[in-house]
């Protein structure tokens, strides 16, 4: 530990970490609602990873007890993030317009960490949409879960600090909490919330996603040769990257070393992306997200007709995001950075997987 240690190393455009598995994206978008959904997912994944560690330390309560404190906080914070996300996500479909940034800020300030206040605003929206849309989500049961967390940890402080803002102890007696029961109920709850969001999005956006999907296919047809060329560059980069890391990798000693240590195939790929027309670059970018986020669901459908419908609608759903829309002003450096910062083989598999699905269903797409 030294006084000049830089704890938060942020890689700028053009800089390459020695190992892409060492980095994580900690911010995603300028869209507040989209970011809330990502934070919900982040806390869910972190809780699941910690629970797996919790199970591996049976009998070692010196480790399991601190894990229990952290797990309860993660689930409680997930519940707060999720209820706020659901409110901001579905409010527009009841009231006919998006919340402004000022309204979002006021909502966050007014509700704070109080789950009861959030639920008072969210509950009517869920019930209204449940009357309009197909729904298998038990709103009453979800409200019960929200209330349980509110009763156990009213201010979201109990698992973060041992005392409150006045110095009073938040816990004065040792309590034995069944972490497995909490985990199993929360896993079921989180699955049902994810299913609800996906189910209602499908119904709300069906026509929009069809139209945007058709636009994507038009753009893909125009960019097809560039997509094929991209896959050639990406395959070469992936192979070179794999060989480098199998050989033990390269060592960087200063920031000035990084540019000179980049793989030639990596540099060529980035130059190729920089030369692409805006819409062709966006096609490749969106293919990556379709392939990495939705390809398994598309392939789960048995008939070719169903797969082509799901492919088109998945493409439309990706294009619905403001940063992924065609014929609009684009942040090219961000699009390129997204493709260059992921593991090369993963990018190749995602894009190539989409190309194969399109090719195999081209007659009906």
């Amino acid at each position: 530990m030294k006084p000049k240690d830089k704890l938060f190393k942020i890689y700028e455009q053009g800089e390459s970490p020695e190992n892409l598995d060492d980095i994580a994206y900690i911010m995603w978008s300028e869209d507040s609602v989209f970011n809330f959904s990502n934070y919900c997912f982040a806390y869910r994944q972190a809780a699941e990873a910690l629970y797996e560690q919790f199970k591996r330390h049976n009998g070692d309560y010196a480790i399991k007890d601190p894990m229990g404190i952290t797990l309860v906080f993660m689930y409680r914070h997930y519940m707060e993030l999720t209820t706020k996300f659901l409110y901001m996500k579905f409010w527009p479909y009841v009231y006919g317009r998006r919340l402004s940034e000022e309204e979002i800020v006021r909502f966050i300030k007014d509700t704070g960490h109080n789950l009861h206040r959030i639920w008072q605003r969210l509950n009517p929206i869920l019930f209204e949409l449940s009357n309009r849309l197909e729904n298998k989500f038990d709103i009453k049961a979800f409200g019960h879960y929200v209330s349980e967390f509110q009763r156990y940890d009213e201010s979201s402080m109990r698992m973060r600090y041992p005392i409150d803002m006045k110095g009073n102890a938040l816990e004065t007696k040792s309590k034995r909490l069944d972490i497995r029961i909490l985990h199993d109920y929360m896993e079921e709850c989180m699955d049902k919330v994810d299913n609800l969001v996906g189910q209602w999005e499908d119904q709300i956006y069906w026509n929009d996603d069809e139209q945007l999907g058709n636009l994507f296919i038009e753009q893909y047809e125009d960019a097809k040769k560039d997509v094929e060329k991209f896959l050639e560059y990406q395959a070469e980069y992936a192979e070179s990257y794999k060989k480098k890391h199998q050989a033990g990798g390269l060592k960087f000693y200063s920031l000035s070393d990084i540019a000179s240590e980049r793989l030639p195939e990596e540099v060529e790929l980035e130059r190729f992306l920089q030369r692409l027309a805006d819409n062709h670059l966006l096609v490749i970018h969106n293919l990556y997200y379709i392939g990495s986020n939705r390809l398994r669901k598309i392939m789960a459908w048995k008939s070719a007709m169903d797969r082509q419908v799901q492919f088109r609608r998945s493409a439309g759903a990706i294009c619905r995001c403001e940063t992924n829309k065609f014929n609009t002003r684009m942040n090219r450096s961000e699009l390129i950075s997204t493709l260059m910062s992921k593991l090369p083989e993963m990018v190749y598999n995602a894009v190539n997987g989409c190309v194969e699905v399109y090719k195999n269903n081209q007659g009906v797409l």
Side-chain angles (χ1 to χ4, degrees):
M1 186 167 63
K2 301 175 183 177
K4 293 185 179 181
D5 287 346
K6 186 175 182 180
L7 302 185
F8 296 92
K9 168 58 187 162
I10 306 296
Y11 289 94
E12 305 296 340
Q13 178 69 24
E15 293 184 339
S16 296
E18 181 179 354
N19 188 347
L20 291 175
D21 280 334
D22 292 340
I23 68 169
Y25 277 84
I26 56 173
M27 294 295 174
W28 291 271
S29 166
E30 295 179 0
D31 186 323
S32 299
V33 179
F34 179 69
N35 280 337
F36 259 84
S37 71
N38 281 316
Y39 271 62
C40 296
F41 179 73
Y43 272 87
R44 174 176 185 170
Q45 291 297 101
E48 190 59 35
L50 187 58
Y51 181 69
E52 288 301 314
Q53 288 295 319
F54 179 85
K55 291 192 298 182
R56 291 193 185 104
H57 288 84
N58 284 342
D60 190 351
Y61 292 100
I63 294 179
K64 290 175 76 77
D65 290 350
M67 285 183 178
I69 293 172
T70 311
L71 269 167
V72 175
F73 170 73
M74 286 182 176
Y75 287 134
R76 204 279 183 197
H77 197 53
Y78 164 87
M79 190 63 79
E80 180 180 329
L81 288 166
T82 296
T83 48
K84 287 177 176 177
F85 163 67
L86 292 173
Y87 174 81
M88 293 185 286
K89 174 74 176 177
F90 292 119
W91 191 93
Y93 309 112
V94 174
Y95 298 102
R97 64 175 181 83
R98 284 176 63 94
L99 287 162
S100 68
E101 290 299 318
E102 291 76 15
E103 287 172 319
I104 290 175
V105 170
R106 188 163 60 249
F107 163 66
I108 298 298
K109 287 183 177 179
D110 289 346
T111 55
H113 297 300
N114 191 300
L115 294 172
H116 176 67
R117 291 178 193 162
I118 304 169
W119 183 245
Q120 283 182 315
R121 301 190 183 201
L122 172 61
N123 190 32
I125 291 173
L126 295 182
F127 269 108
E128 175 64 26
L129 286 178
S130 70
N131 291 328
R132 300 185 196 175
L133 303 170
E134 183 181 342
N135 172 49
K136 296 179 180 179
F137 187 72
D138 191 332
I139 298 172
K140 185 177 179 180
F142 184 57
H144 167 70
Y145 276 48
V146 173
S147 296
E148 284 281 281
F149 274 98
Q150 176 67 13
R151 280 194 293 269
Y152 186 77
D153 189 0
E154 181 178 351
S155 60
S156 189
M157 295 289 285
R158 179 167 288 184
M159 296 298 120
R160 289 199 284 173
Y161 295 97
I163 60 174
D164 63 18
M165 299 296 287
K166 297 180 180 179
N168 300 314
L170 292 169
E171 293 283 3
T172 57
K173 295 181 180 180
S174 179
K175 298 177 181 178
R176 294 194 296 175
L177 176 67
D178 194 315
I179 295 296
R180 184 193 61 79
I181 289 177
L182 176 63
H183 165 268
D184 291 352
Y185 279 133
M186 282 304 297
E187 186 175 43
E188 181 184 4
C189 173
M190 293 184 291
D191 283 342
K192 289 184 180 298
V193 168
D194 287 348
N195 290 336
L196 172 73
V197 173
Q199 184 183 40
W200 280 4
E201 274 193 334
D202 284 347
Q203 295 175 66
I204 290 168
Y205 290 117
W206 180 269
N207 292 331
D208 288 346
D209 287 351
E210 283 280 297
Q211 295 173 7
L212 289 172
N214 289 334
L215 174 60
F216 174 83
I217 290 170
E218 291 175 8
Q219 294 293 336
Y220 173 77
E221 285 291 344
D222 187 61
K224 190 181 291 185
K225 289 183 179 179
D226 279 337
V227 173
E228 292 172 356
K229 192 67 177 175
F230 166 79
L231 287 172
E232 292 177 12
Y233 279 114
Q234 190 70 36
E236 292 172 359
Y237 174 33
E239 183 63 25
S240 179
Y241 181 87
K242 186 186 297 184
K243 288 179 179 178
K244 184 192 82 169
H245 284 274
Q246 285 175 346
L250 299 171
K251 302 297 182 182
F252 299 144
Y253 298 100
S254 68
L255 289 179
S256 61
D257 292 332
I258 292 177
S260 63
E261 294 286 4
R262 296 181 72 195
L263 291 165
E265 294 82 2
E266 179 184 5
V267 174
E268 284 300 312
L269 173 63
E270 187 166 5
R271 287 174 179 168
F272 169 76
L273 293 173
Q274 289 170 345
R275 295 193 299 267
L276 290 176
D278 284 356
N279 283 354
H280 289 200
L281 174 61
L282 189 57
V283 164
I284 294 171
H285 174 272
N286 289 4
L287 281 171
Y288 164 71
Y289 274 108
I290 298 168
S292 59
N293 296 334
R294 295 173 178 261
L295 197 57
R296 288 184 181 179
K297 292 183 179 179
I298 294 170
M299 297 307 296
W301 291 86
K302 294 182 179 179
S303 75
M305 180 63 72
D306 285 335
R307 287 196 296 272
Q308 65 90 4
V309 169
Q310 292 303 316
F311 182 87
R312 184 191 298 119
R313 293 195 62 252
S314 294
I318 296 294
C319 295
R320 196 193 318 137
C321 179
E322 288 296 325
T323 57
N324 299 338
K325 288 184 176 179
F326 291 103
N327 302 316
T328 59
R329 187 176 180 180
M330 300 174 191
N331 186 336
R332 289 181 59 91
S333 63
E334 184 175 322
L335 298 179
I336 292 172
S337 177
T338 296
L339 294 167
M340 296 300 301
S341 62
K342 304 296 189 294
L343 286 171
E345 186 175 5
M346 184 175 70
V347 175
Y348 176 85
N349 289 338
V351 175
N352 188 60
C354 288
V355 169
E356 290 300 314
V357 169
Y358 179 82
K359 187 186 302 181
N360 293 335
N361 294 276
Q362 195 167 4
V364 287
L365 281 169

